[in-house]
Amino acid sequence: MILFYKKAIQDIRDNGFLNAVTIITISLSVLIVSALALFFVNANDIMSSWKKGISIMAYLKTDIGETALPEIKNKIQGMYGVAEVEFISKEEAMKRLKEQMKGHSSLLADLQENPLPDAFEVRLLTSSADSKKVENLAVQIEAMPSVEKAEYGRRWLGRFTNVFDLFKFTGYAMVGIFFMAAVFIVANTIRLVIYSRQDEIEIMRLVGATDRFIKTPFYIEGLIQGAIGGIIGLAALFVAFMLIALNVEQVSSSGIFQIRFLSPGVLCGIMLCSIFVGWLGCYISLKQFLKYKTG
Amino acid sequence: MIDGNDKNSIIRMFHVHKQYGAKKALIDINFDVSKNEFLFITGPSGAGKSTLLKLLYFGEPVSEGQILIDGMNLSRISRNRTPFLRRKFGIIFQDYKLIPTKTVFDNVALVLEAMGKKRQLIQKKVNSVLRMVGMEERSKSFPQSLSGGEQQRVAVARAVVGVPRIILADEPTGSLDSESANVIVDLLKGFHTRGGTVIVATHDKELLRKTGSRIIHLKEGRQIK
Ligand SMILES: Nc1ncnc2c1ncn2[C@@H]1O[C@H](COP(=O)(O)OP(=O)(O)OP(=O)(O)O)[C@@H](O)[C@H]1O
Ligand SMILES: [Mg+2]
């Protein structure tokens, strides 16, 4: 086995340029694929935090007395898909508005009378947070006689979800394409290496070397290329991630969503795929080569 | 159909023909080689000597006929078994076929590596055969830096290092002066005395005259009596 490793490493040295090309190709593919994965992981996080934040504001008619409130609350609470209902009095609403408009509160200070209505804030179960269900619920709430108007903010979310799904699909397609491109290029470089050593391989055969003896160093070479390519690709992604993460943190220190790097499991998966690419490229080119040489 | 139950023959050829396209390189060759025989194959250039050796080590399949090597029928040998057939032979090629990117030592060691031998053993055996052919000093040199005769000696070392049953030597004294030629012939004779079978293809008249061994004559692909 040590002998095979030595041979593989010798090969990589002897064919420096070809190997550099292969490793760079694998690295780039890994970088692009893992960048996509990183994007989707974080986009998913953001999406679910948005979904969690979806709520319907049910503004009450001005003539509703305090005594009627518990009944209304119960009724909304009983609707399908509702997680939580919170009463927000007009005073509370004004306070929140002032807070949001910090620094511009002089605009509000002039108001003699609070123009805001009382309202219920209806939070939804995450599972019900898609556009159809939200809309249905809003219609249902608005139909209540005591409710003036039911509003929900993130109408665009529904459409965004669809776009996101489309993105995901293109993402998968791109992963597939890069995978095949990487395999193709590895197969090609190994093929070139094989052709450059054709005479040597022929002599090895003549002195009694088995196919396995001849092939093993090439496989090790492919695996090493895959591993190095994977490490370089992921390292590049990590550097890029750190740069971006620093900037994003400065922009939104609010911490609603933190972007995070790929989990160890996903990283391992990408590494394994990268190594597999090396192996598969090798397998394909050796298979072709042995088809020609049947002596 | 034939079987290989002749206890004394290590090689048997039955009505062997070899054709390259329209060119008939060998026509109806029939002979047996006994164990521990020293056999010459001779004939003018293009007579088919190298082709005959090539058929023996299964470098190419026969066009017609049957060859038995140490009980193995070449027309029924599988791809997996070919390496093991080749290990029965030590081959000295007409053009040496040393690997130019490997040192003398590694060229010889390759045979044992392919057999999966241990490193220490390889070290020991390779050094000992290189000493035997007088090339110990040059074990770290590359083939291009050696003279023809030196390369020939490395080729002999590689052929004997795996302790094969049969040595096939194609024009082993081809481009050598008589002194270097004698060194090679002595090495082959040494292998023969230790119980090996040797087949030498040559048109070196000098070489033939010196021995009393059996000679097979070829002419235009035919065996002549
Ligand atoms: N691969 C091949 N393709 C076509 N023809 C071939 C091939 N190998 C050998 N021949 C032909 O077969 C004939 C015998 O060739 P071979 O090499 O066996 O001769 P030889 O007796 O070894 O000659 P020499 O003494 O010059 O080495 C020649 O006419 C040669 O041209
Ligand atoms: Mg010849």
Side-chain angles (χ1 to χ4, degrees):
Chain A
M1 255 354 239
I2 300 166
L3 177 80
F4 286 134
Y5 279 108
K6 262 176 63 187
K7 276 196 174 169
I9 287 165
Q10 185 67 39
D11 254 18
I12 291 179
R13 283 222 200 99
D14 290 352
N15 298 284
F17 177 71
L18 283 180
N19 279 286
V21 171
T22 313
I23 290 172
I24 289 170
T25 312
I26 297 178
S27 307
L28 280 177
S29 305
V30 166
L31 178 62
I32 291 165
V33 167
S34 57
L36 279 171
L38 189 61
F39 171 75
F40 284 119
V41 164
N42 283 291
N44 244 338
D45 278 4
I46 293 171
M47 294 276 290
S48 50
S49 80
W50 278 343
K51 281 183 177 175
K52 259 186 216 131
I54 289 188
S55 59
I56 298 172
M57 290 301 288
Y59 297 107
L60 302 182
K61 289 182 176 156
T62 42
D63 55 356
I64 304 294
E66 262 184 53
T67 46
L69 293 177
E71 194 198 331
I72 300 169
K73 184 172 174 173
N74 279 341
K75 209 163 170 191
I76 297 175
Q77 187 83 66
M79 288 176 181
Y80 179 75
V82 173
E84 209 186 336
V85 181
E86 191 193 349
F87 179 67
I88 294 168
S89 65
K90 50 186 170 185
E91 292 79 22
E92 173 72 21
M94 182 49 94
K95 215 174 92 189
R96 285 191 188 181
L97 188 61
K98 278 182 177 162
E99 238 164 60
Q100 276 175 17
M101 299 188 65
K102 247 187 283 175
H104 309 282
S105 54
S106 56
L107 289 174
L108 298 171
D110 293 341
L111 290 172
Q112 304 291 318
E113 203 178 302
N114 185 351
L116 300 173
D118 288 330
F120 281 107
E121 183 176 355
V122 183
R123 285 205 197 83
L124 307 184
L125 295 172
T126 326
S127 58
S128 303
D130 77 48
S131 52
K132 275 249 166 57
K133 287 180 186 156
V134 176
E135 198 176 325
N136 283 342
L137 204 58
V139 167
Q140 228 180 315
I141 291 170
E142 207 168 56
M144 289 167 65
S146 48
V147 174
E148 172 76 41
K149 199 172 167 51
E151 270 190 352
Y152 60 99
R154 299 193 164 110
R155 276 171 209 281
W156 48 270
L157 189 60
R159 247 173 290 149
F160 190 76
T161 311
N162 293 339
V163 172
F164 186 66
D165 285 344
L166 190 70
F167 257 27
K168 248 186 196 165
F169 181 76
T170 359
Y172 290 140
M174 277 169 80
V175 168
I177 289 169
F178 278 104
F179 181 81
M180 286 194 297
V183 168
F184 177 76
I185 287 171
V186 174
N188 248 333
T189 41
I190 299 259
R191 189 180 10 245
L192 288 176
V193 174
I194 291 171
Y195 280 121
S196 75
R197 326 203 117 202
Q198 212 167 2
D199 292 344
E200 184 181 334
I201 290 172
E202 194 50 37
I203 292 170
M204 287 166 97
R205 282 231 170 88
L206 291 176
V207 302
T210 56
D211 279 352
R212 220 182 71 152
F213 180 83
I214 292 166
K215 283 195 277 189
T216 306
F218 287 110
Y219 275 120
I220 294 175
E221 193 174 331
L223 295 180
I224 291 176
Q225 286 174 340
I228 295 178
I231 290 170
I232 294 176
L234 289 177
L237 180 74
F238 186 70
V239 170
F241 170 80
M242 289 313 270
L243 292 177
I244 292 169
L246 283 177
N247 287 330
V248 169
E249 237 139 68
Q250 280 170 354
V251 172
S252 73
S253 50
S254 56
I256 305 168
F257 36 80
Q258 254 189 328
I259 62 171
R260 60 190 172 109
F261 199 55
L262 298 169
S263 68
V266 175
L267 289 176
C268 279
I270 291 174
M271 267 313 280
L272 284 180
C273 277
S274 170
I275 292 172
F276 178 67
V277 165
W279 181 86
L280 187 63
C282 219
Y283 176 80
I284 290 171
S285 56
L286 283 171
K287 208 168 170 165
Q288 278 179 347
F289 177 72
L290 293 176
K291 233 187 253 163
Y292 290 123
K293 288 264 155 190
T294 43
Chain B
M1 196 48 78
I2 48 163
D3 58 49
N5 286 339
D6 184 335
K7 281 268 185 322
N8 257 328
S9 299
I10 194 162
I11 295 173
R12 312 192 76 184
M13 300 188 96
F14 291 84
H15 303 292
V16 170
H17 295 249
K18 180 65 189 178
Q19 219 164 319
Y20 291 109
K23 166 85 195 170
K24 292 184 169 168
L26 290 172
I27 302 154
D28 198 24
I29 306 294
N30 291 279
F31 66 85
D32 287 7
V33 182
S34 315
K35 282 173 187 161
N36 198 21
E37 193 175 345
F38 201 119
L39 173 71
F40 284 98
I41 297 171
T42 189
S45 185
K49 305 180 292 293
S50 298
T51 305
L52 183 54
L53 297 187
K54 203 179 233 174
L55 295 184
L56 292 178
Y57 64 78
F58 202 41
E60 303 229 10
V62 299
S63 305
E64 230 179 280
Q66 307 258 348
I67 300 178
L68 274 160
I69 307 285
D70 201 12
M72 286 170 115
N73 189 331
L74 295 198
S75 54
R76 276 188 264 143
I77 194 169
S78 72
R79 190 190 164 82
N80 294 344
R81 302 286 305 155
T82 313
F84 300 96
L85 170 79
R86 302 253 169 88
R87 290 177 197 176
K88 291 182 187 296
F89 294 106
I91 312 169
I92 302 162
F93 296 95
Q94 194 165 9
D95 55 355
Y96 318 138
K97 289 204 195 304
L98 299 175
I99 297 171
T101 54
K102 286 183 187 290
T103 62
V104 165
F105 182 94
D106 289 339
N107 263 286
V108 178
L110 177 64
V111 176
L112 299 176
E113 285 169 359
M115 290 169 145
K117 298 278 192 239
K118 294 248 158 46
R119 265 151 70 86
Q120 278 111 328
L121 182 82
I122 293 176
Q123 196 85 24
K124 226 176 70 185
K125 282 203 130 187
V126 172
N127 284 329
S128 114
V129 291
L130 285 178
R131 197 175 315 127
M132 197 174 83
V133 300
M135 290 298 291
E136 203 185 9
E137 237 78 297
R138 309 296 304 270
S139 72
K140 289 197 173 62
S141 307
F142 287 89
Q144 297 101 307
S145 67
L146 304 178
S147 74
E150 288 168 331
Q151 290 187 43
Q152 190 75 278
R153 268 139 75 187
V154 176
V156 173
R158 184 180 63 186
V160 299
V161 74
V163 198
R165 312 270 332 253
I166 308 158
I167 282 197
L168 303 178
D170 197 350
E171 222 60 83
T173 57
S175 52
L176 305 182
D177 59 65
S178 62
E179 202 170 312
S180 317
N182 283 337
V183 174
I184 303 285
V185 172
D186 287 345
L187 286 167
L188 293 176
K189 281 185 174 155
F191 177 80
H192 179 238
T193 4
R194 276 173 274 128
T197 307
V198 181
I199 301 177
V200 178
T202 185
H203 47 211
D204 185 343
K205 297 259 160 51
E206 187 77 14
L207 190 58
L208 294 171
R209 202 167 324 139
K210 276 189 280 192
T211 69
S213 309
R214 180 156 73 117
I215 301 172
I216 287 175
H217 292 273
L218 293 181
K219 195 178 178 196
E220 289 164 10
R222 285 177 203 275
Q223 207 174 335
I224 49 177
K225 294 278 140 46

